[in-house]
Amino acid sequence: MHKTIAAALLLLLLWSCGNSEPVEGNPEASTPKQEELQPIRNDLATAIAQPEQVEQPIRITGRVIPLQEATISSQVPGLVLPTEKILQAGKYYNKGETMIKIDNEQLRYTLQSERSQLVSAIVRLLSDMSLDYPKQHPNWVAFVDRIKADEVLPAMPEVSDQQFRYFINAAGIPAQYYGIKAREVLLDDYYVRAPFSGRLTMADVDPGSFVQPGQPLARISRTDIYEMEASVPVSAGDLVKEGQQIDLYSNNLDRNFKGRVHRLGTAIDPGTQSLIAYVRISGQGLRSGLYLQGEINGGTLEDVYVLPKDALSRDQTVFIVDREGVARSKAVELVTVDANQVYLRGLEPGTEVIIEAVDEPLAGSRVK
């Protein structure tokens, strides 16, 4: 009986060994499971980052604007008369030069009449003056002789005697005199003169046109000196000072200009996080609307990593390549930025950094 039990156990053992053979077509049974890896990216540009000591340039750009620009209008109504120079855009006028002349013939005749009436009023008082105010009489005789109907009134004699002042006020002489002087000032408004030297950028009236008070007639811009509205990063605001000289350059004209910071704005542009510095400039070839660029010395930056702008992501991280060749996201400190480069801290010397913009997810991928 014991031999029968032993034989049964031996058969069972042989059957178990026969069923432990690998099953054909089942790779998991034949090979161990391997870790899955991302595809290799071998088309990315990288650089070995090393800390540097660099001079910090503050690059500024801006648009040239006129230092002074004025819209010319008339203060009086009337018909525009021809002048020696035709009013056209691009014409140059010196300060005080007549740009527009408006017909004032009616006012001139009115003034001639009023001056003659003033002479008559004073002459009627001269006989009483000679008797009651003999000291005043010669001055007023001389004053009457100087009055011309077609000329501006001369200065009226000074009156120090109180009784004599009552005398001429009762006759209405000062009222007539100052009424004429007011209209003489008005007569000058019929000549529209250039407020400063410059060129017309707009002309919108011709001889024969009838103009109304306040109607825009022309626009003049000063051409001897300009300003540039330069955008300055907020981080560099303390480094820009009034009176600071700046070298400026125009790519369009291939020409350099000298500028000086005249004043600084106080508001910060929320979109660009920049301040406005107003730079006073002059030179041949300057035109309103021209774009200029320049640099201001912003001091020395110690132990910064200088990388292309594309290396920095919007969340202020860069992609580095570790020793196993796998891309990792690394948070950094942005020190400053200019047109083409970023200045960073927070990396280790010798770190390999991907220096181009990457659109698709990269963290965890192998790179070569």
Side-chain angles (χ1 to χ4, degrees), residues 7-168:
L9 291 173
L10 179 61
L11 290 173
L12 180 62
L13 178 63
L14 290 174
W15 180 84
S16 299
C17 291
N19 282 295
S20 63
E21 293 290 334
V23 179
E24 187 177 355
N26 186 1
E28 292 184 357
S30 60
T31 58
K33 185 177 181 180
Q34 297 180 351
E35 181 182 358
E36 293 184 1
L37 295 177
Q38 296 287 342
I40 295 178
R41 288 291 305 270
N42 58 8
D43 58 346
L44 296 175
T46 64
I48 303 301
Q50 296 292 349
E52 303 178 42
Q53 176 179 306
V54 297
E55 296 295 326
Q56 181 186 10
I58 303 173
R59 289 184 172 87
I60 62 172
T61 60
R63 182 174 61 90
V64 175
I65 58 174
L67 179 63
Q68 287 181 293
E69 189 173 41
T71 298
I72 306 301
S73 60
S74 173
Q75 295 185 5
V76 295
L79 191 69
V80 177
L81 300 177
T83 56
E84 295 181 0
K85 187 183 295 186
I86 299 176
L87 194 75
Q88 293 175 318
K91 289 290 184 68
Y92 184 86
Y93 285 86
N94 291 310
K95 181 179 180 180
E97 184 178 356
T98 299
M99 304 168 61
I100 302 166
K101 184 166 63 174
I102 300 173
D103 183 22
N104 60 7
E105 186 175 22
Q106 181 178 356
L107 180 59
R108 286 190 293 107
Y109 285 137
T110 299
L111 283 169
Q112 290 177 3
S113 173
E114 292 178 348
R115 292 183 189 118
S116 298
Q117 293 175 16
L118 177 62
V119 169
S120 299
I122 296 174
V123 168
R124 287 195 294 269
L125 300 177
L126 289 178
S127 58
D128 292 336
M129 285 187 194
S130 62
L131 295 175
D132 299 331
Y133 306 99
K135 292 182 180 181
Q136 303 291 342
H137 182 264
N139 296 334
W140 285 84
V141 171
F143 174 58
V144 169
D145 291 341
R146 291 197 304 272
I147 295 176
K148 308 298 180 184
D150 56 353
E151 295 180 7
V152 175
L153 286 178
M156 190 170 62
E158 293 186 5
V159 179
S160 56
D161 184 277
Q162 187 68 24
Q163 292 298 323
F164 182 73
R165 182 178 290 108
Y166 293 155
F167 173 70
I168 61 173

Side-chain angles (χ1 to χ4, degrees), residues 54-60 231-236 272-274 296 301 304-313 316 333-345:
V54 297
E55 296 295 326
Q56 181 186 10
I58 303 173
R59 289 184 172 87
I60 62 172
S231 296
V232 178
V234 174
S235 58
T272 62
Q273 288 297 293
S274 60
I296 301 175
L301 295 176
V304 293
Y305 295 84
V306 184
L307 297 173
K309 251 184 157 180
D310 286 342
L312 184 67
S313 301
Q316 292 198 7
E333 174 192 352
L334 176 62
V335 179
T336 187
V337 62
D338 60 29
N340 302 307
Q341 295 175 314
V342 289
Y343 300 79
L344 308 173
R345 291 194 179 100

Side-chain angles (χ1 to χ4, degrees), residues 269-337:
D269 187 325
T272 62
Q273 288 297 293
S274 60
L275 296 168
I276 298 297
Y278 296 89
V279 181
R280 193 73 59 88
I281 51 177
S282 60
Q284 294 293 326
L286 281 174
R287 293 289 187 274
S288 178
L290 182 69
Y291 273 87
L292 299 178
Q293 58 187 19
E295 286 188 359
I296 301 175
N297 183 10
T300 302
L301 295 176
E302 301 284 349
D303 297 328
V304 293
Y305 295 84
V306 184
L307 297 173
K309 251 184 157 180
D310 286 342
L312 184 67
S313 301
R314 291 184 179 179
D315 57 356
Q316 292 198 7
T317 60
V318 298
F319 283 108
I320 65 173
V321 182
D322 63 18
R323 293 181 181 180
E324 287 74 29
V326 178
R328 306 292 184 193
S329 179
K330 172 71 174 175
V332 292
E333 174 192 352
L334 176 62
V335 179
T336 187
V337 62

Side-chain angles (χ1 to χ4, degrees), residues 181-197:
K181 294 299 289 184
R183 277 180 282 280
E184 287 177 348
V185 173
L186 180 62
L187 185 66
D188 191 61
D189 291 338
Y190 285 81
Y191 296 86
V192 182
R193 297 180 172 86
F196 46 77
S197 298

